[in-house]
Amino acid sequence: MVVQHNLQAMNANRMLGINAQANASSTEKLSSGYRVNRAADDAAGLAISEKMRKQIRGLTQASSNAEDGISCVQTAEGALAEVQDMLQRMNELCVQAANGTNSETDRQYIQDELDQLVTEIDRVSETTKFNEIYLLKGDEENKGTYKSWIIDYKTIDTPNPNANRNGEPVTKQDYIGQNTIFFVDDAIATADSDSPISAKKVQNGDDITPFLNQGKTGVNADYKGFMAVTLNTTVAKDQATADAENAAAATKDSVDLVYDATVPNQINAARDLYFYNNETGTVVHVAKGQEVSQFLTVTNDITKGYRLIDDLTGTRVTGELKLDPDKDGVLDPFPFDDTTIRQNRSHAQVYDADGKEVSAMALGKYFDDQGRYLGGLFSDEKATPEDQIVAAVTTPAKPVITEYVNIGNGSDVANNLTFDLHVGADSDRANKITADIRSLSSAGLGIEKIHSKFIGIVDETGDKATDTIDVVAQALQRVSTQRSMIGAVQNRLEHTIKNLDNIVENTTSAESAIRDTDMAEEMVAYSNNNVLLQAGQSMLAQANQANQGILSLLG
């Protein structure tokens, strides 16, 4: 028996430490739920588990990327659906405008709606975005632009067959004002009602060149004579009322007709009046105070065939042309400018192989995307080989038929927007799904020319509208193609998400087998270690009491 070394206690203590460590490990695994909490638990298993975790988390994010991609393309597809709906409406309008029962004015009303639709398509293209990415306007910044050519007839100034007042040849000018105007020799100011003087009646769209100096507008407009505008109504008033109103109108007489209650059925001119005879095209002057009953009905309306016109206060040789069209007593300069006069322009007509006229809207099919002439146009409706138009080469070399058509500068259209959706956990480029969206502005769709600022559909025959139907059909096809591509990408992304989620699920199962605690098994181990720990503690206590037996030897 020894007292320096209690080997029983040492053995019990060592085993107690082992059991305590095992018990602590079981407690950690049970409380954390993981079998591997540190590399020491399972070095190889930890490395494999972390590699799987990388894949799981990467694939989970890839699935989220695909979900974002679906949201993005759905945003674009929703906008395209609206664009397609507008194009369908444009198709209806073009078919309507092509009908021969419509007048040029009717087609202008249709043109107004088409202009709004084209503008709205451009707005949708410019503003549709997802997470600050503009989806339908292309990618000009990174990919540059291409030209969308506007193929139109080459317009030329229309020569006027009549020389101007100075005997010089001039370009034809059209009157575009809303008021009907009359040009009368200034002798009308002193002529009596029995001396009618021929007048030139000019309405919206009529040639006004003969009355202009060298075909110019503004201060260069020149006509020695009277100009007048049509009055809407006239009312006869008694002399006292007329005197009061005329006194209030400081600039000129404001009342046209007066009557004296003591003289039945007699209406007099309250001021100098001018009556236009629709049948003879002449104007008569009725001086102030002169009876005008012959020009009136029994109800004092203007007799059918005559029109009461307002007179010009002076001649247009020097100074400004002034009149009082609104009858407010204030003389206003007549706007001989771009608001009332425009230059008349025309173009040479070309024909297809069948001898049919080719409208401006249909010219595009005879040119490629670069504005190069492809052939097929003829200068005469006979459409014989000698009438075929031959392209002229310009510098830089780009064949154009400049004597007939105007290629124009075209519009800059951004190239396609391309974005890659990363749908994998690795850097492999095969994990990219590419979405490609073209610029779907009016220029990108080829419908820009439908707007009135380019070609439009307004003409007398409806030919432009007829050819526009094909232009809209092509635009519809482009939108349908784009929507189909977007739909295909969306379907692919949905399959991708299903596959990614399946891989994540199975990889997570495999990682769980390595990393997670088998709770049932670990509970058995924990219970066993707990029993051993208690037994060890008891045995250590007994071993520590063993040396007490030595004291009995001393007794």
Side-chain angles (χ1 to χ4, degrees):
M1 299 179 67
V2 296
V3 296
Q4 293 296 334
H5 294 89
N6 189 341
L7 295 180
Q8 291 182 5
M10 289 178 64
N11 181 264
N13 186 58
R14 179 174 65 81
M15 294 306 297
L16 179 62
I18 293 172
N19 291 330
Q21 183 177 4
N23 186 268
S25 177
S26 292
T27 301
E28 182 180 33
K29 291 176 182 178
L30 288 170
S31 60
S32 68
Y34 287 115
R35 186 183 70 83
V36 180
N37 289 286
R38 56 182 58 82
D41 292 339
D42 186 348
L46 178 69
I48 296 171
S49 172
E50 289 297 332
K51 182 172 64 175
M52 287 184 173
R53 283 190 174 186
K54 170 187 174 296
Q55 184 179 15
I56 290 168
R57 296 181 66 171
L59 292 175
T60 300
Q61 183 58 52
S63 180
S64 179
N65 289 352
E67 291 281 4
D68 290 342
I70 289 177
S71 298
C72 181
V73 296
Q74 281 181 333
T75 300
E77 206 269 336
L80 288 177
E82 203 58 43
V83 169
Q84 199 159 45
D85 190 50
M86 286 187 280
L87 288 172
Q88 292 289 7
R89 174 57 180 162
M90 291 175 69
N91 181 64
E92 290 178 351
L93 292 171
C94 293
V95 172
Q96 179 185 1
N99 197 23
T101 60
N102 291 301
S103 66
E104 193 168 347
T105 302
D106 296 330
R107 292 189 179 97
Q108 182 58 56
Y109 296 144
I110 296 173
Q111 178 70 68
D112 292 340
E113 184 174 352
L114 287 172
D115 286 352
Q116 291 296 324
L117 290 171
V118 171
T119 302
E120 178 61 14
I121 287 174
D122 279 330
R123 191 195 67 80
V124 171
S125 172
E126 286 291 319
T127 59
T128 300
K129 62 181 179 180
F130 178 83
N131 194 31
E132 299 304 316
I133 299 174
Y134 290 94
L135 300 177
L136 303 182
K137 61 187 296 186
D139 189 4
E140 178 179 350
E141 182 177 350
N142 297 314
K143 293 189 175 182
T145 62
Y146 66 92
K147 286 289 187 182
S148 173
W149 299 99
I150 304 295
I151 312 297
D152 197 0
Y153 277 107
K154 184 177 179 63
T155 56
I156 57 175
D157 296 340
T158 306
N160 192 48
N162 302 314
N164 68 357
R165 292 176 61 81
N166 297 327
E168 301 171 350
V170 293
T171 300
K172 185 179 178 183
Q173 304 284 328
D174 292 333
Y175 174 65
I176 57 173
Q178 299 305 309
N179 294 319
T180 301
I181 60 177
F182 303 85
F183 289 96
V184 189
D185 191 275
D186 57 4
I188 192 69
T190 56
D192 56 37
S193 59
D194 294 327
S195 303
I197 296 180
S198 295
K200 174 63 177 179
K201 177 181 177 182
V202 177
Q203 296 176 291
N204 187 290
D206 290 342
D207 181 15
I208 201 174
T209 317
F211 310 108
L212 304 179
N213 177 34
Q214 299 179 6
K216 297 179 180 179
T217 62
V219 296
N220 294 307
D222 183 9
Y223 185 76
K224 184 178 181 181
F226 278 67
M227 193 189 76
V229 295
T230 302
L231 291 184
N232 293 325
T233 60
T234 183
V235 178
K237 300 182 179 181
D238 65 85
Q239 190 66 56
T241 301
D243 290 343
E245 292 189 11
N246 288 336
T251 307
K252 61 179 289 187
D253 293 337
S254 62
V255 178
D256 299 323
L257 306 175
V258 295
Y259 62 88
D260 186 345
T262 63
V263 183
N265 302 322
Q266 181 174 319
I267 305 295
N268 297 330
R271 60 184 180 86
D272 286 347
L273 299 177
Y274 299 87
F275 288 90
Y276 177 75
N277 188 321
N278 288 299
E279 294 182 1
T280 63
T282 58
V283 173
V284 295
H285 172 211
V286 179
K288 180 178 180 179
Q290 184 177 345
E291 184 178 357
V292 295
S293 301
Q294 60 178 314
F295 302 105
L296 305 176
T297 66
V298 293
T299 58
N300 294 333
D301 295 322
I302 304 298
T303 302
K304 183 178 181 180
Y306 282 95
R307 300 175 74 177
L308 177 63
I309 59 177
D310 194 15
D311 67 290
L312 181 67
T313 60
T315 60
R316 183 62 166 92
V317 178
T318 60
E320 286 190 309
L321 181 67
K322 293 187 176 182
L323 65 154
D324 184 17
D326 50 9
K327 299 291 290 177
D328 62 356
V330 179
L331 295 179
D332 304 313
F334 188 81
F336 263 138
D337 54 30
D338 291 341
T339 65
T340 56
I341 298 176
R342 70 180 173 194
Q343 194 169 0
N344 186 288
R345 312 196 78 179
S346 64
H347 59 73
Q349 184 66 53
V350 295
Y351 304 85
D352 63 15
D354 297 324
K356 297 179 180 178
E357 293 184 356
V358 178
S359 73
M361 193 63 67
L363 281 172
K365 67 180 68 174
Y366 297 94
F367 295 82
D368 66 11
D369 292 339
Q370 301 301 315
R372 288 185 289 261
Y373 175 50
L374 301 174
L377 294 176
F378 298 80
S379 59
D380 192 277
E381 60 184 348
K382 297 190 303 295
T384 57
E386 56 268 23
D387 297 319
Q388 176 116 14
I389 296 172
V390 179
V393 179
T394 61
T395 303
K398 183 175 71 174
V400 294
I401 49 175
T402 54
E403 62 180 307
Y404 292 99
V405 301
N406 178 28
I407 303 298
N409 294 324
S411 298
D412 290 327
V413 181
N415 281 304
N416 293 7
L417 170 69
T418 301
F419 54 91
D420 295 325
L421 303 171
H422 195 82
V423 292
D426 304 322
S427 63
D428 192 338
R429 293 300 188 271
N431 285 325
K432 302 285 188 181
I433 293 180
T434 301
D436 194 68
I437 305 177
R438 66 179 297 159
S439 172
L440 291 170
S441 62
S442 61
L445 289 173
I447 59 171
E448 185 181 31
K449 65 183 73 173
I450 297 176
H451 198 286
S452 58
K453 68 181 179 181
F454 293 110
I455 298 177
I457 65 161
V458 180
D459 60 12
E460 294 181 359
T461 62
D463 287 344
K464 284 184 179 180
T466 302
D467 292 326
T468 302
I469 296 172
D470 289 338
V471 175
V472 175
Q474 186 178 35
L476 278 167
Q477 180 59 44
R478 288 176 177 173
V479 176
S480 295
T481 300
Q482 185 66 73
R483 290 186 69 184
S484 176
M485 186 281 292
I486 289 176
V489 169
Q490 180 176 336
N491 288 338
R492 180 181 176 185
L493 287 171
E494 290 174 351
H495 288 297
T496 299
I497 291 170
K498 293 176 183 178
N499 182 52
L500 289 172
D501 292 346
N502 177 64
I503 296 174
V504 167
E505 179 182 346
N506 287 288
T507 306
T508 300
S509 176
E511 197 264 347
S512 174
I514 296 173
R515 198 75 173 254
D516 290 350
T517 299
D518 185 332
M519 300 298 287
E521 180 180 349
E522 197 61 40
M523 283 296 294
V524 171
Y526 175 78
S527 299
N528 182 56
N529 289 329
N530 199 36
V531 170
L532 290 174
L533 182 61
Q534 294 180 42
Q537 291 173 341
S538 177
M539 291 304 100
L540 179 59
Q542 291 296 325
N544 287 333
Q545 293 296 322
N547 288 342
Q548 295 295 323
I550 296 176
L551 295 178
S552 64
L553 297 177
L554 297 176

